[in-house]
Amino acid sequence: MRRLKALLIKEFLQMRRDRLTLIMMLGLPVIQLVLFGFAINTDVKHLPTIVFDQSLQQDSRDLLSSLEASGYFDIKYLAKSYQEVNSAVDAGKAKVGIVISPDFSENLKHGRQAAVQVIVDATDSMAASSAISAAQLIGQLKSQDILLQQIRGFSGHPTEKPYDIRIRPWYNPDFISAFYMVPGIMGVMLTMTMVMITSMAIVRERERGTLEQLIVTPMKNWELMLGKIIPYSLVGYVQVTVALLAGVLIFDLPIRGSLALLYALTALFILASLALGLLISTVTKNQMQAMQLSFFVFLPSVLLSGFMFPREAMPMVFNLLGNLLPLTFYLQILRGIILKGVGLSVLWPQIAALVIFIIITLTISIKKFQKKVA
């Protein structure tokens, strides 16, 4: 027992000396539990919505008020043409587009069906299902109200259902889950490989004592970092190519946009992930710490980026936290090119966000690395 007691004391002392590892072991699970308990919500509400109301009568305003009051649709944009609705949905600014015909109110007054077109961005099947269900339910409830009024008002037969809600799911009309998941898995796979492996690269050199040998060579710091980054970049491209081939050959994944643009923008994401990995490697002392910190970055990337759960369902704080992750923007790029077929004119905000992330992260990494070398 005395030997065991001495060993336990030694282990606790060792844990106390390695404070970063101790903090990560005790603090990170609690932080993740709290974060994800609040952030993950499968009941998707507050979908950004664009409306093209050609009727501009009280009936159309009542319908829009009912849709907004449901909590599922946030009317953020008012379009003046059908093309504006298309552009907003293509760019991802709006997840739902509602188009009301000019004769909407006239048809209701004469007992005819009044058509309402609901365009849904089906690249995210969970959000699209919520929008479709909510729109159909509200259409049925409004129709029931009008039919009841007609039955009470006169003895004739009620007309057909007054509200004709026509759903148009775009980009993935059959809701094939593989179309949604395969681009997401590509991004997650790259994140896992690039961040974790790179974060351990410099730490491993330091632990083995080979980092000092590299430093005393004429090689400059940026050359050393590039030397660490370039081989993993090539590995990332091989992963993307294999994933795309598997998606097309096995799951019939459609690639509607430019493949060259996809590969070009993948370079930005790979660089962003490698820069993040390098930053982790400069703030950790050993491979265990590097792996734990990488895992801490990896989990939010999976849960807050929109890979599994729609970002529209997250509270504002967690939605903003997701904007700090490069995977959030890369998933929008992947799904935009592969499923929507959009180009640079639509994806420039995501590109700008990745470039800013790379500049900031690489600058911090190089400065911290220089301090360690000094």
Side-chain angles (χ1 to χ4, degrees):
M1 290 298 293
R2 292 175 60 185
R3 289 193 293 273
L4 178 60
K5 181 181 176 183
L7 182 61
L8 289 174
I9 291 172
K10 176 252 180 191
E11 288 298 326
F12 279 117
L13 287 173
Q14 184 67 32
M15 288 171 63
R16 195 177 69 175
R17 289 192 193 103
D18 192 356
R19 290 185 179 177
L20 184 58
T21 303
L22 186 61
I23 290 171
M24 284 193 285
M25 284 194 299
L26 298 179
L28 295 189
V30 177
I31 294 171
Q32 288 175 348
L33 186 69
V34 173
L35 281 179
F36 303 143
F38 282 108
I40 295 172
N41 185 1
T42 55
D43 187 16
V44 186
K45 290 187 174 181
H46 303 291
L47 293 164
T49 303
I50 184 168
V51 171
F52 180 29
D53 183 1
Q54 301 170 85
S55 173
L56 296 174
Q57 299 293 319
Q58 187 59 43
D59 293 316
S60 63
R61 285 194 285 270
D62 286 345
L63 176 63
L64 293 174
S65 297
S66 299
L67 290 168
E68 196 163 36
S70 70
Y72 286 90
F73 306 95
D74 285 353
I75 299 176
K76 293 190 173 181
Y77 311 99
L78 295 175
K80 294 180 181 176
S81 67
Y82 197 83
Q83 183 58 39
E84 280 188 45
V85 177
N86 290 357
S87 300
V89 177
D90 276 343
K93 290 194 295 185
K95 290 290 183 183
V96 180
I98 298 173
V99 180
I100 299 176
S101 59
D103 55 356
F104 178 80
S105 188
E106 196 68 21
N107 285 335
L108 284 179
K109 286 175 183 171
H110 290 86
R112 298 191 294 265
Q113 276 196 326
V116 178
Q117 188 177 170
V118 179
I119 298 166
V120 180
D121 180 352
T123 54
D124 184 339
S125 52
M126 194 180 292
S129 299
S130 293
I132 290 171
S133 302
Q136 288 176 332
L137 181 61
I138 291 166
Q140 287 175 0
L141 291 174
K142 296 286 291 182
S143 296
Q144 285 176 4
D145 288 343
I146 291 180
L147 289 174
L148 282 173
Q149 289 172 9
Q150 290 173 344
I151 291 171
R152 289 168 185 159
F154 62 92
S155 56
H157 295 291
T159 61
E160 56 188 344
K161 189 175 66 173
Y163 286 89
D164 181 16
I165 305 294
R166 299 176 181 177
I167 306 293
R168 299 283 185 271
W170 281 5
Y171 314 121
N172 185 11
D174 297 325
F175 292 92
I176 299 173
S177 56
F179 291 1
Y180 175 72
M181 293 303 293
V182 169
I185 290 171
M186 283 171 56
V188 170
M189 188 174 58
L190 277 178
T191 301
M192 185 170 62
T193 308
M194 298 297 108
V195 176
M196 284 189 175
I197 292 180
T198 312
S199 66
M200 297 176 69
I202 292 180
V203 179
R204 186 169 55 243
E205 295 275 9
R206 195 184 300 131
E207 282 185 337
R208 291 177 178 174
T210 52
L211 183 62
E212 288 76 9
Q213 296 174 8
L214 289 172
I215 290 171
V216 296
T217 62
M219 186 179 293
K220 296 180 180 177
N221 290 339
W222 65 268
E223 291 176 325
L224 178 58
M225 286 203 162
L226 276 183
K228 292 290 179 189
I229 284 176
I230 290 174
Y232 296 118
S233 302
L234 297 177
V235 172
Y237 269 112
V238 172
Q239 286 183 329
V240 169
T241 304
V242 171
L244 279 177
L245 283 174
V248 172
L249 297 177
I250 300 174
F251 299 107
D252 293 326
L253 179 71
I255 299 179
R256 300 189 175 105
S258 165
L259 200 57
L261 180 63
L262 190 150
Y263 270 85
L265 298 185
T266 295
L268 285 180
F269 177 66
I270 289 176
L271 193 56
S273 300
L274 292 174
L276 184 59
L278 282 175
L279 179 62
I280 292 173
S281 71
T282 57
V283 299
T284 52
K285 297 177 181 176
N286 53 54
Q287 293 188 63
M288 176 64 75
Q289 288 181 357
M291 182 175 289
Q292 286 180 325
L293 201 53
S294 302
F295 194 68
F296 181 63
V297 172
F298 178 66
L299 265 183
S301 295
V302 171
L303 298 175
L304 300 182
S305 64
F307 165 60
M308 293 178 67
F309 305 101
R311 283 166 44 77
E312 290 77 12
M314 297 176 189
M316 180 60 70
V317 175
F318 299 103
N319 197 302
L320 293 175
L321 276 177
N323 287 335
L324 300 177
L325 302 167
L327 182 60
T328 300
F329 303 104
Y330 186 56
L331 288 184
Q332 293 169 3
I333 289 172
L334 280 176
R335 289 172 179 152
I337 294 176
I338 293 176
L339 297 179
K340 295 183 178 181
V342 297
L344 284 174
S345 59
V346 170
L347 297 174
W348 68 265
Q350 288 80 10
I351 296 170
L354 285 178
V355 170
I356 293 171
F357 182 89
I358 291 167
I359 293 172
I360 294 175
T361 312
L362 264 184
T363 304
I364 297 173
S365 301
I366 291 172
K367 285 187 176 179
K368 291 190 77 66
F369 184 74
Q370 285 173 338
K371 282 183 182 177
K372 286 202 170 190
V373 171

